[in-house]
Amino acid sequence: MTTTPKTKQTTHAGLQAWVDEVAELTQPRDIRWITGTPEEWTELTDQLVEAGTLVRLNEDKKPNSFWCASDPSDVARVEDRTFICSVEEKDAGPTNNWMAPDEMKAIMTDLYRGSMQGRTMYVIPFVMGHLDAKVPMFGVEITDSAYVAVSMLVMARCGEKVLRKIEDTNANFVPALHSVGAPLAEGQEDVKWPCSDTKYIVHFPEERTIWSYGSGYGGNALLGKKCYSLRIASAMAHDEGWLAEHMLILKLTSPEGKIHYVAAAFPSACGKTNLAMIDPTIPGWKAEMVGDDIAWMRFGEDGRLYAVNPEAGLFGVAPGTGESTNPNAMETIKRGNSVFTNVALTDDGDVWWEGMTDEKPAHLTSWLGEDWTPEGDKPAAHPNSRFCTPIAQCPIAAPEYDNPDGVPISAILFGGRRKTTIPLVYESRDWTHGTFVGATLSSETTAAATGAVGVVRRDPMAMLPFLGYNATDYFGHWLAIGKQADASKLPRIYGVNWFRRDEDGSFLWPGYGENSRVLKWIVDRLEGEADAVETPIGFVPAPGSFDIDGLDVTEEHLAKAGAVRPEEWADELPLIEEWFNKFGEDLPAELWAEFDGLKARINAA
Ligand code: GTP
Ligand code: MN
Ligand code: MN
């Protein structure tokens, strides 16, 4: 029999009661409250090194940084194990898994019973967004994983200061419970990456509560990120009249010194982190990062939409990140203080992944812990391997990133991975049409979630895996947001596609830094300085309006990348109709009207 450890650590009665209740249920060996000091970081990382979970990297290459390999079965978000347990099934909508809250709680309470035995239970007070925000968005994560605690310290503002403010203002917080589901019996030796075959990532939107079990992977276990800042926050945003979106936030300064902030929603592993850290190829343009994954947008007093990045860290896809594609990310991680998960380890204690360098190292330890040489056929890094690193280290972090009021958004981009059909860039006619562009966004699936890769699926506003409520209510909410403001103050909405391919399978558009040309055209449109041509799907660059100076692309390829082909759209229409039919009459009539309009224009073209 173990006795439940008790710590009286907070004057916040509700928080203390919840911590006691969880400890009683999960039976940890001890309880540790995370304070956020550098000494604590050192102690926790030392302990993880000792346990074999982390490997300390070479101080000269990556100071204060660590390599970690997960269990091979625990490498990505598990969408089929993710649930929105609203009281009514219809409030979860047709795109989410649902179970009645009581039923789910019964199942998970059984799983949590004794699940932390032999482990330390960490209590992590955190705030998403700024501690000095008008309404600070508090959370407290309880976890039995030190890896999660360390990663949370990078990804969110955590610790003592946050706890004191929760207490001083007797604030509400989102309780976020996480267990890897691997209790240790007396004397049982631990594994490097404890997890369970049974996984549940569960949200109770009405109660603003998160329960996660069985996985240690970031998207499933760092509960401030997808679970709170997207799924729970989207439900809050719906009720309170704001937006919680899967979007990067980018600051652009033109050669004339004009500033525009742009937000962009692309599905997972489709280029947000890359665009957020873009190194523009066109002279005189400056880009700075405000956020790379999540944007919370609220109307300001001037009627414009202001975006805040709720996170403090980057949890970026490693493969494909290199000096030529994302030099700013490379510089960020060089500054250290990072955790790398499921990348490869070099013989001199550094990290490597596919796409980091043109030349492959002669020998590596792969993410599977195996000897790796370039002759082999397995990748050295898992395709969804990640770097976890502080935003403050990014050489192009915009100072506004730390502004609790956020930045006014001029344009919103929706994009995905499509080999065909979707042109490089097009402008929607108005907010309602832009909502249609977002609601019908599609992409080929990637390794960011378990399941088949390369299948086209609809991913509305890149939020399919992150919606905390019914998608039709979400579309209605987007339309309603558009009616809350003067049309001239709303961001203009664009569709983009960096991933269109030629017949031989090669990319038609060079992407990465060259995407600055697309951003320039968008800014020129906002400033009324670029012409556009109307097509059935929206406005595309008029000849001569798109800067191709010094661009190393044939005119033929450029034309193919930007083409709006009625025959391809004729094939797309039934797919959109099939998607909308999923919602039937619940889909806002305005979106059906947009569909009918598009169909008529395509058929006439
Ligand atoms: P999450 O963090 O999972 O939400 O994904 P993300 O949207 O931040 O994706 P990320 O920027 O990490 O991009 C992942 C993949 O897209 C990598 O394999 C990149 O190499 C590739 N990628 C990004 N930008 C471009 C581009 O402009 N062109 C091409 N062809 N590939 C790109
Ligand atoms: Mn993401
Ligand atoms: Mn990213």
Side-chain angles (χ1 to χ4, degrees), residues 13-225:
L15 175 54
Q16 186 67 53
W18 178 59
V19 170
D20 290 343
E21 182 196 324
V22 171
E24 182 67 39
L25 176 65
T26 60
Q27 295 288 308
R29 187 188 56 207
D30 49 16
I31 300 176
R32 175 162 185 163
W33 290 67
I34 292 296
T35 59
T37 62
E39 295 75 28
E40 176 185 64
W41 166 274
T42 305
E43 198 189 324
L44 291 176
T45 51
D46 280 351
Q47 180 194 316
L48 283 160
V49 169
E50 177 80 11
T53 306
L54 299 184
V55 171
R56 183 178 284 278
L57 297 174
N58 185 328
E59 283 294 314
D60 297 332
K61 312 250 178 201
K62 301 280 183 307
N64 189 29
S65 296
F66 304 88
W67 176 79
C68 179
S70 78
D71 186 285
S73 70
D74 196 23
V75 294
R77 287 183 292 98
V78 282
E79 295 181 1
D80 57 331
R81 306 303 306 158
T82 301
F83 292 79
I84 301 299
C85 294
S86 45
V87 174
E88 301 290 336
E89 181 171 7
K90 73 166 184 6
D91 290 329
T95 63
N96 283 311
N97 300 312
W98 178 85
M99 197 188 286
D102 288 349
E103 200 184 326
M104 181 60 88
K105 282 184 182 169
I107 292 172
M108 291 190 74
T109 300
D110 275 348
L111 291 170
Y112 283 131
R113 189 166 291 120
S115 75
M116 296 191 187
Q117 266 169 28
R119 300 190 182 281
T120 298
M121 175 173 123
Y122 299 92
V123 182
I124 314 168
F126 65 91
V127 63
M128 298 313 295
H130 216 281
L131 195 54
D132 298 328
K134 284 187 194 84
V135 185
M137 303 288 277
F138 292 113
V140 178
E141 176 159 354
I142 292 181
T143 178
D144 53 7
S145 160
Y147 166 87
V148 167
V150 162
S151 304
M152 279 295 286
L153 284 165
V154 176
M155 294 305 299
R157 298 165 174 94
C158 300
E160 185 77 19
K161 255 203 233 157
V162 177
L163 178 60
R164 292 289 102 85
K165 189 143 182 183
I166 294 177
E167 291 170 342
D168 292 349
T169 57
N170 195 26
N172 289 325
F173 62 92
V174 169
L177 173 56
H178 172 252
S179 172
V180 292
L184 287 171
E186 196 68 41
Q188 183 185 342
E189 203 178 326
D190 203 0
V191 294
K192 288 178 183 173
W193 184 274
C195 62
S196 168
D197 290 340
T198 305
K199 294 179 172 58
Y200 282 98
I201 319 299
V202 177
H203 310 74
F204 302 100
E206 289 96 347
E207 294 175 43
R208 320 285 199 223
T209 297
I210 303 158
W211 286 14
S212 168
Y213 181 90
S215 169
Y217 172 76
N220 303 324
L222 311 181
L223 301 185
K225 193 174 178 59

Side-chain angles (χ1 to χ4, degrees), residues 272-273 292-293 315-317 386:
K272 286 182 303 300
T273 299
D292 84 315
D293 197 52
F315 189 70
V317 179
R386 299 267 169 169

Side-chain angles (χ1 to χ4, degrees), residues 77 226 246 266-275 292-293 315-321 325 384 386 417 448 466 498-499 507 509-512 515:
R77 287 183 292 98
K226 303 304 189 183
H246 191 204
F266 309 152
S268 297
C270 291
K272 286 182 303 300
T273 299
N274 276 275
L275 189 64
D292 84 315
D293 197 52
F315 189 70
V317 179
T321 307
T325 56
N384 193 40
R386 299 267 169 169
R417 241 173 226 272
F466 308 119
W498 318 144
F499 299 91
F507 288 111
W509 175 249
Y512 300 103
N515 294 334

